[in-house]
Amino acid sequence: MEVFVQQIVNGLFLGSVYALMALGYTMVYGIIKLINFAHGEIYMIGSFIGYFLINQFNMGFFPALILSMAGSAILGVVIEFLAYRPLRNSTRIAALITAIGVSYLLQNTMIYFFSSTTRPFPQVIELRVFKLGFLSVSNIQLLILGLSLFLMIALNVIVQKTKMGKAMRAVSVDTDAAQLMGIDVNRTISFTFALGSALAAAGGMMIGLYYNSIDPMMGYIPGLKSFIAAVLGGIGIIPGAAIGGFVIGLIETLTTALGFSDFKDAVVYIVLILILLVRPAGILGKHVKEKV
C-alpha cells in the first residue's frame, strides 16, 4: 500500500509535464484542427536549449528556462509559417503527413548535429528529499508540480482575460467570422503555436532536470502520450488536456507499481483505444454534429 500511494504521488508530478504538453496539442487542434506531431520534438529541442545555456553560459535554471521557452516559441512560429500555413486550406491528411514529416526532420537534424548520445542534464538545483511519513518527495518534484500549475494558470488567464485570448477563442469557433470582425487570424494562429511550444520547452527542461538525461529521441514517446492525454481529456478543450495529462501520469506510475513497468507504454495506448471506443469525444468533450 505504501508503494502504491508513493506511485500515485509520483504520477501527479509526471502527469503535470504531460499536461503541459497536452495543452499545446489541444490549443493547436482547437484553432486549426491540426494534430501537431512535431510538438514532442519541440519539447526535446527546448531541453537542449536549456542544456547548452546552463553548460556554456553558466546560467541558473530559471533564466535558462525563460530563454528556452522563448527560443522554442520562435521555433513553433517558424514551423507554423513554413510548414503548416501553406497547407491550411489543404486536406486534413496532407497537413497530418506534413506534421509527421516535420517531426522526423527535427529529430534527425538534432541527431545529425548532436548525435544520438544521451547527455547528462546539468543538475543546477541541488536535490533534496523530504520525508512525509512513508512518502518521499524531492524538491525537484515539487518544483515541477508548482511550475506546471503556475504555467497552466497563466495560460488560462491569457486565454480567458486577454485580447489575444479572446481572439484565439473566436478563431477556434469560426475562422471566417473572426476575420470579418477584424481579427488577424494568421497572427492569432502564430501566437497559439508560440504559446504551445513554450509550454513544451518548459516540460522538456523539467524532465531533463528530473531524469538527469536528454537525447534527440526523448520527445517521441512523451509526445505520443501527451497526444493521448489531450484525446483522453477532450481534444480542443484546455481543461480536458490538463486532466488527461494527470490521468496518463497516474496510469503510467500505477502500472509500474503493480509490477508491469515493461508494459506501461502499452497500457497507455490501450487506454486510448478504450476511450475512442467508449467515449470518442473524451472526458470533457461533447458530441457535435457537423453539417454536410
Side-chain angles (χ1 to χ4, degrees):
M1 179 57 71
E2 293 179 3
V3 173
F4 188 79
V5 175
Q6 178 69 58
Q7 290 295 348
I8 290 178
V9 174
N10 294 341
L12 292 175
F13 299 124
L14 181 61
S16 65
V17 176
Y18 288 147
L20 280 182
M21 290 186 66
L23 288 169
Y25 276 108
T26 208
M27 283 192 300
V28 169
Y29 183 84
I31 293 284
I32 59 173
K33 300 297 182 286
L34 167 73
I35 303 299
N36 180 22
F37 279 115
H39 197 59
E41 275 54 56
I42 293 175
Y43 156 95
M44 173 268 295
I45 290 172
S47 69
F48 268 83
I49 293 173
Y51 169 85
F52 283 108
L53 287 173
I54 294 170
N55 268 353
Q56 300 299 322
F57 300 100
N58 294 317
M59 283 190 179
F61 179 77
F62 289 103
L65 175 68
I66 293 169
L67 289 177
S68 173
M69 291 175 69
S72 297
I74 293 170
L75 176 61
V77 171
V78 170
I79 290 172
E80 188 276 326
F81 180 78
L82 295 177
Y84 300 145
R85 189 174 297 184
L87 298 173
R88 196 172 294 165
N89 297 319
S90 300
T91 59
R92 295 267 185 95
I93 191 66
L96 179 64
I97 291 171
T98 301
I100 296 171
V102 171
S103 170
Y104 280 107
L105 174 63
L106 293 175
Q107 189 180 104
N108 284 277
T109 299
M110 292 296 289
I111 291 173
Y112 178 79
F113 285 106
F114 303 106
S115 81
S116 57
T117 306
T118 300
R119 299 164 182 255
F121 194 87
Q123 297 299 288
V124 286
I125 297 177
E126 184 182 351
L127 178 65
R128 295 181 180 177
V129 178
F130 306 103
K131 292 286 187 179
L132 302 173
F134 59 84
L135 291 177
S136 296
V137 180
S138 71
N139 58 334
I140 292 177
Q141 287 177 316
L142 293 174
L143 171 67
I144 290 172
L145 182 60
L147 189 56
S148 297
L149 291 175
F150 170 77
L151 291 172
M152 289 178 209
I153 293 169
L155 173 65
N156 189 62
V157 170
I158 290 171
V159 172
Q160 298 295 330
K161 303 295 183 182
T162 66
K163 186 176 180 180
M164 184 57 77
K166 292 177 182 178
M168 288 169 62
R169 285 183 282 141
V171 172
S172 70
V173 173
D174 193 320
T175 302
D176 294 331
Q179 200 161 14
L180 290 173
M181 294 302 293
I183 294 173
D184 188 334
V185 172
N186 286 332
R187 190 162 73 99
T188 303
I189 292 172
S190 293
F191 180 79
T192 304
F193 270 85
L195 209 55
S197 299
L199 294 177
M205 276 200 65
M206 288 189 286
I207 283 296
L209 184 67
Y210 184 57
Y211 287 121
N212 189 29
S213 66
I214 59 171
D215 67 85
M217 299 291 290
M218 66 179 282
Y220 178 69
I221 296 298
L224 285 177
K225 289 180 180 177
S226 300
F227 167 64
I228 293 171
V231 173
L232 177 63
I235 191 76
I237 301 171
I238 289 177
I243 292 171
F246 282 107
V247 171
I248 293 299
L250 288 169
I251 290 172
E252 187 172 327
T253 53
L254 289 177
T255 303
T256 301
L258 294 172
F260 299 102
S261 58
D262 292 339
F263 302 98
K264 62 181 182 181
D265 294 340
V267 170
V268 173
Y269 299 131
I270 290 171
V271 169
L272 172 63
I273 294 169
L274 293 175
I275 285 295
L276 292 175
L277 289 173
V278 177
R279 190 175 174 80
I283 296 172
L284 298 184
K286 296 179 180 178
H287 293 284
V288 178
K289 294 181 180 179
E290 291 187 8
K291 293 182 180 180
V292 179

